[in-house]
Amino acid sequence: MKYKEEHLFFSLPPAHPLSGSSILDLKDLSGETMLLRSHLGFWQNILDEKMPDTHFITQEDTVFNELVKASALPSFSSDLVIQREGNVPNRINIPIRDEEVHVTYYCCYLKKTQAVAKLFPSKGA
């Protein structure tokens, strides 16, 4: 069963040269220094493949959030994070065009538990 989708954004400070863009590709920021959350799971593989020349400064969630607020370095966010935590002040979220950063999550269950699965409808998808 389709559960929800997630779409990645660049989170840029207003002074960044690309902050006025309406949409970007991962390659547009390749080679820059960026802030990155640790423990990214499958997102890490995508970034390693698509942005090999980028220097990522990786931090745990609580430190990461504070660094993003205080830093002029680009970072990433997603529509799910923005929905859950709100927009970070003084940041512009720009959608990323690459199809690899638009993911769909599915909920898998045994057919015999289908009645239970219907008790938890998808939110936002």
Side-chain angles (χ1 to χ4, degrees):
M1 156 190 333
K2 183 176 177 181
Y3 177 61
K4 63 175 67 175
E5 295 180 359
E6 185 172 24
H7 307 279
L8 206 59
F9 291 78
F10 283 120
S11 175
L12 304 177
H16 191 279
L18 297 174
S19 66
S21 303
S22 59
I23 192 165
L24 292 167
D25 295 301
L26 290 171
K27 68 180 179 184
D28 293 329
L29 272 79
S30 185
E32 291 200 27
T33 298
M34 295 183 66
L35 297 173
L36 191 65
R37 289 181 193 267
S38 58
H39 312 295
L40 289 181
F42 69 90
W43 293 113
Q44 186 68 58
N45 296 335
I46 294 168
L47 298 179
D48 289 346
E49 179 184 325
K50 300 289 272 184
M51 301 181 79
D53 300 323
T54 304
H55 176 69
F56 292 112
I57 300 171
T58 306
Q59 293 294 320
E60 298 291 327
D61 283 344
T62 53
V63 175
F64 174 82
N65 292 337
E66 293 305 313
L67 281 175
V68 169
K69 289 176 189 174
S71 175
L73 292 173
S75 63
F76 291 99
S77 193
S78 78
D79 55 344
L80 296 181
V81 172
I82 294 166
Q83 184 180 34
R84 183 179 66 236
E85 299 175 10
N87 286 312
V88 177
N90 297 316
R91 286 282 169 156
I92 299 168
N93 295 313
I94 301 175
I96 301 172
R97 183 182 347 257
D98 302 69
E99 69 178 55
E100 295 92 341
V101 298
H102 302 278
V103 298
T104 302
Y105 299 103
Y106 292 89
C107 181
C108 299
Y109 55 88
L110 296 172
K111 202 168 196 169
K112 66 182 179 182
T113 60
Q114 184 172 3
V116 174
K118 288 182 180 180
L119 295 175
F120 302 98
S122 155
K123 293 180 182 174

